[in-house]
């Protein structure tokens, strides 16, 4: 009798275990009003960096890089896999490089975001294999308005789609085979900075044919269904042309370069969606697409047009349901402006590329604090791996270390309006925000004349994350920021600092290193750390009348 019972239980155990194993694939999870990347059933914040474009092409080139990534305190590397190296001959895949990279990343306790440099990399098709480059009849190119062939595969060709899709699918199949149980690869980026150049749209005969057809039903349905929540730039175009429900591209959106861009965005997104869908059928890792941001007052086609840019993100969302989110690359100073545009409609924020300048450490803090971002990555993070760390690299390493320490409190308070980020520089040297009953005013410490180099022209940006952990208890993690507080619910009371400790987290437990007071708190007036002091403080507040 016992034996008969045991067998079904045994089968049940394996069925349940199978389901659990399935659930453990890295995935996105909504927590309150934000998103988390979950890896091995635990929240994972990507303290990342992206490799320069050619660094990961051989293991020899990577040798000095691995220790450098650890010195910078990264937990994640964004690493391209190149179609030309992956499928050097049609149908013959070379898995060696990806396998070696995964194994080496594991040895260094690093996770990988795999960037598929497939059909498109920064608009161009420079990374497609030679058998694709050389057979332009079979793998047709986009054509400019002037009739010139471009080194850009047209997204309107089924051959182009099938070839790219097959390679990507094989890549995902292989990643699953070698990595399913270890989860080194946690996220995919199909293609890189898609965009149309030098005309706003492709003028290949296949494209011209599609341009004459009606706007496809899935885009129209999406627009109708989401009419009230479409991004304003996009809905305005539709409205200005009479909010029609049926018609050609120019009937629905009007004549002009903006319509060329909308049209291209739809077909680029359809292409990437099919590639991603095929990959997800093999191994459903989450996937995002990145964008080269456009400069204001530059026309579509003069900038790489039709990528997942804020003004056409609705088109991308309608046409690429297999993409989990869309991400901005920053070689552009307006950090808050663009991020505010990207987080609309609940798009989770991830910064896969930021020019590796002296602002990255501060912007990482701000992105993780203010937007509760999934992660942050300076571009070409390895730079000169054999040299000592430069000041901007040291700052990044310090910031990643303190963020790594405060992860438990970030996770516990995620998505509940209990986390804020501050980013200050010479122009924006003060900001206010609310956490619980308190209003905080954050100022750059240069502003207050306390720093030895206050008054100089160049202000290093300052930044901090503030987390509310109880009604009157907060953590500060950052540098160059001074905080003063008032209680908005008790306007007649004044607020003082009851206690401030500087410390660190060890295995998730808070340890006090120093009890701060006196000059360190400006005799009880402020919570602050100077520009060269990236550190963590826990503080409690009290009121007096
Ligand atoms: C953005 C691209 O996505 C990167 O691959 C790289 O080309 C940088 N631009 C510029 O170096």
């Amino acid at each position: 009798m016992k034996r008969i019972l045991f067998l079904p239980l045994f089968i049940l155990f394996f069925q349940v275990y199978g389901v659990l194993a399935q659930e453990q694939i890295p995935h996105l999870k909504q927590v309150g009003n934000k998103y988390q990347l979950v890896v091995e059933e635990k929240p994972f914040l990507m303290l990342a960096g992206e490799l320069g474009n050619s660094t990961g092409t051989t293991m020899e080139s990577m040798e000095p890089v691995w220790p450098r990534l650890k010195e910078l305190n990264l937990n994640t590397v964004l690493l391209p896999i190149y179609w030309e190296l992956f499928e050097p001959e049609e149908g013959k895949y070379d898995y060696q490089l990806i396998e070696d990279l995964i194994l080496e990343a594991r040895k260094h306790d690093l996770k990988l975001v795999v960037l598929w440099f497939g059909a498109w990399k920064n608009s161009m098709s420079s990374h497609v294999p030679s058998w694709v480059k050389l057979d332009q009849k079979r793998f047709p190119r986009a054509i400019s308005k002037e009739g010139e062939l471009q080194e850009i595969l047209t997204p309107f060709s089924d051959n182009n789609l099938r070839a790219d899709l097959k390679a990507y699918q094989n890549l995902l199949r292989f990643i699953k085979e070698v990595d399913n149980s270890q989860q080194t690869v946690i996220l995919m980026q199909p293609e890189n900075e898609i965009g149309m150049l030098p005309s706003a749209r492709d003028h290949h005969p296949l494209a011209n044919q599609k341009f004459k057809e009606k706007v496809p039903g899935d885009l129209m349905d999406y627009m109708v269904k989401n009419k009230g929540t479409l991004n304003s730039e996009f809905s305005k175009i539709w409205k200005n042309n009479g909010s029609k429900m049926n018609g050609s591209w120019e009937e629905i959106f009007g004549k002009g370069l903006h319509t060329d861009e909308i049209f291209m965005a739809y077909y680029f997104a359809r292409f990437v969606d099919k590639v991603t869908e095929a990959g997800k059928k093999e191994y459903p890792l989450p996937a995002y697409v990145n964008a080269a941001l456009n400069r204001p007052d530059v026309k579509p086609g003069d900038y790489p047009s039709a990528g997942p840019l804020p003004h056409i993100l609705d088109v991308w969302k309608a046409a690429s349901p297999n993409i989990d989110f869309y991400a901005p690359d920053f070689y552009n100073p307006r950090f808050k402006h663009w991020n505010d545009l990207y987080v609309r409609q609940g798009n989770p924020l991830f910064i896969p590329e930021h020019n590796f300048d002296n602002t990255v450490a501060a912007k990482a803090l701000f992105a993780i604090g203010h937007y509760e971002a999934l992660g942050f990555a300076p571009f070409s993070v390895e730079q000169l791996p054999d040299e000592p760390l430069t000041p901007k690299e040291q700052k990044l390493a310090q910031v990643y270390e303190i963020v790594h320490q405060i992860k438990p409190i970030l996770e516990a308070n995620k998505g509940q309006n209990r986390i804020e980020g501050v980013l200050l520089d010479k122009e924006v040297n003060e900001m206010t925000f609310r956490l619980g009953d308190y209003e905080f005013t954050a100022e750059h410490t240069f502003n207050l004349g306390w720093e030895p180099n206050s008054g100089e022209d160049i202000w290093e940006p300052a930044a901090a994350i503030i987390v509310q952990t109880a009604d009157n208890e907060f953590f500060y993690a950052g540098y160059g920021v001074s905080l003063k507080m008032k209680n908005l619910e008790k306007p007649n009371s004044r607020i003082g600092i009851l206690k401030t400790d500087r410390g660190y987290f060890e295995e998730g437990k808070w340890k006090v290193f120093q009890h701060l007071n006196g000059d360190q708190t400006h005799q009880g007036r402020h919570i602050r750390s100077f520009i060269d002091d990236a550190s963590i403080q826990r503080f409690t507040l009290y009121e007096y009348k």
Side-chain angles (χ1 to χ4, degrees), residues 502-522:
R502 179 193 172 113
Y504 55 96
F505 283 91
E506 204 174 60
E507 288 169 14
K509 286 222 167 72
W510 174 245
K511 300 262 166 110
V512 176
F513 169 67
Q514 275 179 345
H515 302 282
L516 299 186
N517 210 335
D519 292 343
Q520 280 62 50
T521 65
H522 199 201

Side-chain angles (χ1 to χ4, degrees), residues 226-246:
N226 297 289
K227 198 168 180 182
T229 52
L230 295 175
N231 289 328
S232 56
E233 313 91 297
F234 182 64
S235 71
K236 214 190 290 165
I237 294 174
W238 188 27
K239 208 167 151 206
N240 288 348
N241 285 287
S243 304
K244 295 185 200 94
M245 307 272 200
N246 189 1

Side-chain angles (χ1 to χ4, degrees), residues 50 53 117 121-122 192-193 290 329 331 353 379:
E50 179 167 329
N53 290 163
F117 282 12
K121 149 69 171 90
N122 298 31
N192 188 79
E193 288 195 353
N290 65 335
D329 290 347
Y331 297 85
E353 290 183 40
F379 176 72

Side-chain angles (χ1 to χ4, degrees), residues 408-472:
I409 55 170
L410 291 177
E411 283 154 17
N413 294 287
K414 181 111 191 169
Q416 299 166 56
N417 304 319
R418 293 163 73 91
I419 304 175
E420 198 32 287
V422 175
L423 177 63
L424 302 167
D425 56 21
K426 192 164 189 182
E427 283 68 47
V428 182
N429 49 46
E430 188 178 311
M431 70 175 263
T432 55
F433 59 90
R434 183 174 181 160
L435 286 173
D437 291 347
Y438 291 97
E439 182 185 84
F440 288 79
T441 301
E443 281 179 84
H444 196 298
T445 49
F446 278 28
N447 208 23
L448 300 160
W450 292 328
E451 299 268 6
N453 37 0
S454 301
E456 279 184 10
D457 270 354
I458 300 166
W459 288 28
E460 191 187 326
I465 298 176
I466 294 91
V467 186
Q468 182 177 27
T469 44
D471 286 351
N472 302 316

Side-chain angles (χ1 to χ4, degrees), residues 170-282:
N170 267 285
L171 175 64
L172 266 297
R173 186 178 304 148
F174 183 73
I175 292 175
K176 180 177 181 185
E177 199 179 301
V178 291
D179 199 44
N180 193 20
S181 57
Q182 305 242 4
Q183 301 192 7
T184 315
V185 181
I186 56 175
L187 182 62
M188 295 300 298
Q189 180 197 287
E191 317 300 344
N192 188 79
E193 288 195 353
I194 291 168
M196 191 62 208
L197 285 171
S199 308
R201 79 166 176 88
D202 185 1
H203 290 260
H204 189 281
L206 291 169
N208 292 341
Q209 177 54 38
K210 288 278 179 214
F211 194 63
K212 282 188 228 138
E213 291 175 9
K214 284 189 170 179
V215 172
D218 55 354
L219 176 54
M220 281 314 325
D221 289 350
Y222 177 95
M223 287 163 59
V224 171
K225 193 167 152 223
N226 297 289
K227 198 168 180 182
T229 52
L230 295 175
N231 289 328
S232 56
E233 313 91 297
F234 182 64
S235 71
K236 214 190 290 165
I237 294 174
W238 188 27
K239 208 167 151 206
N240 288 348
N241 285 287
S243 304
K244 295 185 200 94
M245 307 272 200
N246 189 1
S248 70
W249 293 91
E250 291 188 331
E251 281 162 358
I252 302 282
F253 299 110
K255 268 193 199 309
L257 293 178
H258 67 281
T259 296
D260 290 359
E261 186 179 34
I262 291 170
F263 164 77
M264 277 314 285
Y266 177 82
Y267 283 102
F268 272 137
R270 290 299 302 140
F271 187 114
V272 180
D273 193 65
K274 285 185 185 142
V275 170
T276 308
E277 184 183 28
K280 282 192 172 184
K281 274 196 186 127
E282 296 297 331

